[in-house]
Amino acid sequence: MTMSKTRSEGSLPVVSLPLPVDVTAPAVARQAVRATLRGLGLDEAGVDDVLLATSELVTNAFEHGERPDRLEAEYAEGRLTLRVFDSGSERPKLKEPSPAAARSRGLQLVHALSDDWGHELCAGGKYVWAVFSLPGRGG
């Protein structure tokens, strides 16, 4: 797995990571996001919510998309945007899980942990995105 980076005006590099099409995808994504956040000088203790949301977004793409494709992470103006691309066209649905259900809480967690989230259709499928305000760099 290799990560590529491109620089947008006024932001730090966009990290783009191809995702494996197996159950290791959430762990691979978390590791990449963790490394990106460390590179921003953010304390690991302050990014647990971002890492949990990363796992949930990638797991959702793995289980409900047709094929996970890639993760993008972009930091600009104190906000981190995560995008998880998959080849499916089915739009994600925020469901209210039954209290007895062992699963189906992923998007509920993303909704609760992020400042905002949503999805966009794109060439080859869709991406689900989430935005997080992050504490100051070097803190």
Side-chain angles (χ1 to χ4, degrees):
M1 275 298 124
T2 58
M3 290 190 295
S4 62
K5 297 180 182 182
T6 58
R7 187 171 297 278
S8 300
E9 190 63 38
S11 69
L12 293 175
V14 175
V15 174
S16 182
L17 172 73
L19 292 171
V21 187
D22 61 34
V23 296
T24 65
V28 168
R30 272 193 318 275
Q31 183 179 18
V33 170
R34 180 180 286 120
T36 299
L37 296 175
R38 275 194 200 131
L40 293 172
L42 298 171
D43 182 345
E44 178 129 359
V47 298
D48 289 342
D49 289 351
V50 174
L51 297 176
L52 177 55
T54 299
S55 288
E56 295 302 333
L57 288 170
V58 173
T59 298
N60 198 55
F62 182 75
E63 292 183 351
H64 301 290
E66 290 175 27
R67 187 180 65 78
D69 182 44
R70 73 185 183 280
L71 164 81
E72 290 182 354
E74 181 176 10
Y75 179 81
E77 300 176 9
R79 293 168 58 96
L80 178 75
T81 302
L82 296 177
R83 295 176 199 93
V84 176
F85 293 77
D86 70 67
S87 61
S89 60
E90 185 177 332
R91 297 170 186 258
K93 296 176 186 111
L94 189 62
K95 299 186 253 182
E96 195 64 44
S98 139
R103 304 173 51 88
S104 297
R105 289 179 175 77
L107 289 178
Q108 287 288 346
L109 285 169
V110 171
H111 177 74
L113 298 173
S114 66
D115 295 342
D116 197 11
W117 76 278
H119 66 278
E120 300 290 331
L121 297 177
C122 62
K126 70 173 176 303
Y127 62 91
V128 181
W129 55 267
V131 178
F132 303 86
S133 295
L134 296 177
R137 293 176 63 194

